[in-house]
Amino acid sequence: MTHPKISVLTPLYNTKPIQLRAMIESILGQTYEDFEFLILNDSPENTEIEKIVKSYNDSRIKFFVN
């Protein structure tokens, strides 16, 4: 198993759904593809964030709740 060369870390706190989707699509749409995308939810009471992130079926995304 190879490890990605780049990690993109994005902390979230009560991020609006439209902004969250735009951000995720922007990162996933990059031409460079050898990266892991770490998303950290700092507002665990906001379950909408997790639903949106998990709706993307991309193995580069790793979702964490703080």
Side-chain angles (χ1 to χ4, degrees):
M1 181 168 108
T2 62
H3 296 285
K5 294 182 179 182
I6 294 177
S7 295
V8 178
L9 172 61
T10 303
L12 304 173
Y13 184 78
N14 285 332
T15 306
K16 294 178 182 177
I18 193 165
Q19 294 169 331
L20 177 57
R21 288 184 192 283
M23 181 271 302
I24 291 172
E25 290 169 19
S26 175
I27 297 296
L28 295 179
Q30 299 298 308
T31 56
Y32 185 82
E33 295 182 349
D34 188 16
F35 64 88
E36 64 180 350
F37 188 11
L38 308 172
I39 300 176
L40 175 63
N41 183 5
D42 279 328
S43 53
E45 67 284 349
N46 186 342
T47 58
E48 186 67 18
I49 288 175
E50 184 170 1
K51 289 176 189 173
I52 291 170
V53 172
K54 290 188 173 183
S55 73
Y56 289 87
N57 187 21
D58 193 305
S59 63
R60 297 173 293 181
I61 297 176
K62 310 291 187 252
F63 182 73
F64 303 93
V65 177
N66 190 13

